[in-house]
Amino acid sequence: MEIQVKNISKIYGVNENQVVALNCASMTIREGDFISIMGPSGSGKSTLLHIISGLDRPTSGSVHYGDFDIHNGSDKKLSAFRRQKVGFIFQHFNLLPVLTAYENIIMPLLLDKKQADEVYLQELCSLLGLENRLSHLPHELSGGQQQRVAIARALIAKPDIIFADEPTGNLDSKSGSEVMKMLCKVREKMKKTLIIITHDLNIAEMAERCFTIVDGELSEVTA
Ligand code: ADP
Ligand code: MG
């Protein structure tokens, strides 16, 4: 499914406190694309990813997944759509500390009252090297392992599209590159569309298409 992002602007605050976080951002994301987005801190990267993935609404502009205009409908419809179609990976993992790795991974399914596909879950955990970690609590895992659990959670509902907001930003360089290798492997094996925000040029260059964002202005810089 193609994603059409058209003239997205986001303004926070009112009057003299206004911040233009995004200024008329447009892009077309094709099925299977691997896209990186780079930009300085505060340039609007997270805002853009949240709006494209349906975690937040724009001030103006539209995001279409195929024919579906995701911001032109109820919050309920949007969150149901998001849970089925989109996986999101955060910089700070966002695992629930009182749940085991396994319970964290299947959490999105519980919210939709669905059963885990155990064969798929096993394939996912073996790609991510998590087979022997599933009964552990997050604090018993390394940062890299926690992020791999978060990746499995993002993929458990079999979404077509994965968004990752600086997924290695909280990791040392060794576990960061391990996490990236696994994320790329999962993407290839499972034929997912991947959009990743990063500060790391090496990671940005793994992608097939590269964008930069400066002061809310998005542009493609693919060679
Ligand atoms: P990045 O992810 O590139 O660091 P963000 O998208 O988080 O940037 O933020 C872009 C701009 O919007 C920044 O100036 C930030 O301070 C501002 N901003 C982000 N979220 C909010 C918010 N909820 N309320 C007000 N300003 C915000
Ligand atoms: Mg950010």
Side-chain angles (χ1 to χ4, degrees), residues 33-46:
D33 264 356
F34 180 7
I35 290 177
S36 66
I37 302 172
M38 288 191 93
S41 183
S43 57
K45 303 181 298 295
S46 296

Side-chain angles (χ1 to χ4, degrees), residues 170-212:
N170 226 25
L171 301 173
D172 61 80
S173 62
K174 184 164 167 282
S175 32
S177 77
E178 219 171 68
V179 161
M180 269 314 297
K181 265 192 213 130
M182 288 178 178
L183 187 55
C184 290
K185 202 167 68 180
V186 168
R187 170 193 165 258
E188 249 177 61
K189 283 245 170 188
M190 299 188 165
K191 306 203 184 336
K192 305 292 183 191
T193 305
L194 177 62
I195 298 106
I196 185 169
I197 288 176
T198 182
H199 274 302
D200 185 334
L201 196 56
N202 292 317
I203 293 175
E205 286 175 343
M206 291 178 188
E208 292 152 357
R209 298 175 65 198
C210 304
F211 287 75
T212 59

